[in-house]
Amino acid sequence: MSKPIEIRNPRTGKYDYLIIPPPEKLLIQQCNRLRRAQQSWFDLGLDGRIDALLQWKEAINSIRDKLTEALVIDTGRLSVSELEIDSFISSINRWCRLGSKLLKDTEKGTSIPFINLQQTAVPYALVGVISPWNFPLLLSTIDTIPALLAGCAVIVKPSEITPRFMTPLMNAVSAVPQLRDILSFIEGDGKTGATLVENVDLVCFTGSVETGQQVAIAAAQRFIPAFLELGGKDPAIVLESANIELATSAILWGSVVNSGQSCLSIERIYVAKPIFEEFYHKIVAKAHKLNLAYPTLESGEIGPIISEKQAAIINQHLQDAVAKGAVIHCGGEVEQIGGGWWCHPTVITEVNHDMKVMNEETFGPIMPIMSFTTVEEAIELANDTYYGLSAAVFSESIDEALQIARQIDAGAISINDAGLTAMMHEAEKNAFKFSGLGGSRMGTSALTRFMRKKAFLIKTNDNYDPWWFNQ
């Protein structure tokens, strides 16, 4: 019998929920059952799979209030939870619309006149998805939906920190007969995730670099694909010509949305020296206008720190920075209020790359700001990291911004805005350095990575001997 795991409420600090991971033997049996059912799902054809996904969408709409309630308890925030559900529904619509264009066989001639090429693709039988706690619904379904459309069976293990949303979500799955046998969400911790990797045919993992490396090793030993989206320490570069009003608003949003609990958060800000003072004074003034979402969900824009472990990391980074000479202009600590952990938007100057807040993922509403003298210096600072997820560049000149963006070692660069890659699903990108591995979860490859290409080479002239017969 697996040991139960107590779950903490991020707003109250109370452990008010319990999950029981499946025994290893039962999980292996479940994976085998899903894999056996996959062929029937694939045999439904694309139209049948689209119909089932659209039924799932309608089932989600029918239990939306319960799903929202569960997500709010999981995360302690309201507006982002509502946005997660909207994004989930939009994702189903988008993939169902695109599927018919991307999932079709083709036939064409080749460079050899009597040989035709018929191109097709077959799905991996069972996809495993392991997702984190910061966006529980969105990040457990962003890979799941295209994998299902491709014809795969899918098993998902969300984070044990935010598991409550699974119950209403699985109730919606149960309302669609075609999905019941090929889609499952399971409760569990890292041990459950490790067992999952050992029993699927392809794995998608979103989480920390450390755990991602373990997943990559386990997948490599089994010779299965692993698609990893890991941590980030995203930089923003603000040039002297930038619109300061726009830049401060965009960077503030990019730093504190979801209380900074996003791998795409702006975590380092580099500002041209002539505008440095004006920039940080303006962003401090704007940060002061943001309030904690306490005592009610509607009291402010900044929700609680979801993970108690992460709250401790944020405090460590702040204390380390102050001990090494940093100056805090607003916010500055993670405090316990009503049992939960909260952090006001925090602006810090006099920082350098010897500080944890500039070289380790903080995952909180923290804005450390450094000045730079030359563009070359700014690029060097932006690239001084082992992360490479995304970044932002602000300049009056789009050409200048693009020239700088091309030199930044990151997969997606927002120009005169921040975090656009989270909203622009057409933009294909790869993570650089230790921020990830494998194909893009955006754009068309987000779907095609779940299939193996297969070629049929068809001889069309029976009277033509193979060329080697005449040698």
Side-chain angles (χ1 to χ4, degrees):
M1 183 74 175
S2 298
K3 185 179 179 181
I5 301 172
E6 291 186 305
I7 310 301
R8 177 180 168 274
N9 185 313
R11 291 186 71 88
T12 67
K14 295 179 180 179
Y15 288 84
D16 57 5
Y17 194 77
L18 203 68
I19 63 172
I20 302 176
E24 182 177 351
K25 183 177 180 180
L26 191 62
L27 178 54
I28 293 170
Q29 290 174 348
Q30 187 172 10
C31 288
N32 291 334
R33 177 181 60 79
L34 289 163
R35 188 180 284 106
R36 286 194 299 270
Q38 179 268 334
Q39 186 62 49
S40 295
W41 170 247
F42 181 64
D43 289 344
L44 275 178
L46 179 60
D47 289 342
R49 296 195 297 274
I50 288 174
D51 182 64
L53 289 172
L54 292 176
Q55 287 182 52
W56 190 26
K57 182 190 76 171
E58 293 307 313
I60 291 293
N61 280 325
S62 70
I63 53 97
R64 182 179 177 120
D65 289 346
K66 291 181 179 178
L67 183 57
T68 303
E69 181 183 2
L71 281 171
V72 166
I73 299 172
D74 270 334
T75 62
R77 85 268 159 126
L78 176 59
S79 61
V80 176
S81 297
E82 293 174 332
L83 180 61
E84 279 196 78
I85 298 175
D86 289 339
S87 297
F88 169 51
I89 291 171
S90 295
S91 181
I92 292 177
N93 288 333
R94 184 178 70 256
W95 282 120
C96 288
R97 186 175 65 252
L98 292 173
S100 58
K101 299 177 183 177
L102 300 175
L103 298 177
K104 59 181 180 181
D105 294 347
T106 60
E107 186 169 355
K108 61 182 179 180
T110 67
S111 56
I112 301 176
F114 54 88
I115 301 293
N116 278 1
L117 169 63
Q118 192 176 103
Q119 196 80 57
T120 188
V122 293
Y124 288 88
L126 180 59
V127 169
V129 175
I130 302 173
S131 58
W133 49 261
N134 54 326
F135 293 97
L137 175 65
L138 180 63
L139 293 180
S140 66
T141 56
I142 192 170
D143 299 309
T144 298
I145 296 167
L148 289 171
L149 188 66
C152 310
V154 183
I155 183 166
V156 187
K157 192 209 81 67
S159 170
E160 69 275 19
I161 295 174
T162 52
R164 297 168 180 84
F165 79 101
M166 279 189 279
T167 297
L169 191 61
M170 281 305 296
N171 287 340
V173 171
S174 298
V176 184
Q178 300 95 319
L179 290 180
R180 291 173 190 163
D181 295 330
I182 51 89
L183 174 60
S184 185
F185 288 72
I186 57 167
E187 300 174 336
D189 55 11
K191 184 178 179 181
T192 304
T195 302
L196 190 68
V197 175
E198 293 296 327
N199 290 278
V200 297
D201 305 307
L202 178 153
V203 62
C204 296
F205 173 83
T206 308
S208 70
V209 172
E210 294 75 18
T211 307
Q213 288 175 314
Q214 295 174 30
V215 171
I217 291 169
Q221 289 174 334
R222 295 194 56 237
F223 234 61
I224 66 171
F227 298 104
L228 314 176
E229 180 141 324
L230 310 178
K233 192 71 181 173
D234 289 4
I237 295 176
V238 184
L239 301 177
E240 185 177 355
S241 66
N243 180 326
I244 296 180
E245 189 67 37
L246 180 150
T248 49
S249 292
I251 290 172
L252 177 63
W253 177 86
S255 301
V256 307
V257 65
N258 196 31
S259 304
Q261 299 168 114
S262 169
C263 55
L264 302 173
S265 289
I266 296 295
E267 293 211 0
R268 299 175 289 141
I269 306 165
Y270 303 105
V271 180
K273 197 166 187 177
I275 63 169
F276 178 78
E277 293 279 334
E278 182 183 359
F279 180 93
Y280 91 74
H281 282 298
K282 190 173 286 289
I283 204 168
V284 167
K286 291 181 178 181
H288 271 301
K289 295 178 181 178
L290 299 178
N291 299 305
L292 302 181
Y294 186 87
T296 71
L297 292 164
E298 295 83 7
S299 295
E301 303 82 8
I302 309 298
I305 306 302
I306 297 169
S307 163
E308 192 165 28
K309 179 181 176 181
Q310 198 65 43
I313 291 172
I314 296 168
N315 252 343
Q316 289 170 10
H317 286 197
L318 293 172
Q319 292 165 6
D320 174 75
V322 171
K324 294 175 179 175
V327 176
I328 292 176
H329 299 274
C330 59
E333 65 175 335
V334 178
E335 50 189 323
Q336 195 168 37
I337 304 173
W341 294 104
W342 304 78
C343 184
H344 286 275
T346 299
V347 177
I348 316 173
T349 60
E350 302 300 322
V351 293
N352 60 62
H353 280 216
D354 291 331
M355 299 174 181
K356 292 180 178 181
V357 78
M358 294 300 284
N359 58 50
E360 297 180 14
E361 189 173 39
T362 305
F363 229 58
I366 313 299
M367 292 161 278
I369 311 174
M370 284 182 69
S371 66
F372 65 84
T373 304
T374 66
V375 169
E376 291 75 20
E377 180 190 4
I379 295 169
E380 184 178 351
L381 289 167
N383 288 336
D384 183 23
T385 177
Y386 63 83
Y387 293 107
L389 201 55
S390 52
V393 180
F394 293 81
S395 171
E396 182 182 44
S397 166
I398 300 297
D399 289 340
E400 182 183 30
L402 286 171
Q403 186 178 10
I404 293 169
R406 290 187 179 97
Q407 299 176 70
I408 295 176
D409 297 330
I413 319 294
S414 298
I415 305 299
N416 289 331
D417 211 329
L420 291 178
T421 181
M423 297 172 283
M424 300 299 297
H425 298 281
E426 300 90 343
E428 293 206 9
K429 65 180 179 64
N430 293 113
F432 285 41
K433 302 179 180 177
F434 282 88
S435 279
L437 185 69
S440 173
R441 62 166 31 157
M442 304 293 184
T444 58
S445 65
L447 175 61
T448 56
R449 63 194 168 130
F450 294 111
M451 308 189 79
R452 287 166 290 186
K453 292 181 179 179
K454 202 168 185 178
F456 303 111
L457 304 169
I458 306 165
K459 183 179 178 182
T460 59
N461 185 344
D462 293 340
N463 298 318
Y464 200 100
D465 288 333
W467 64 269
W468 56 85
F469 277 19
N470 300 315
Q471 298 302 308

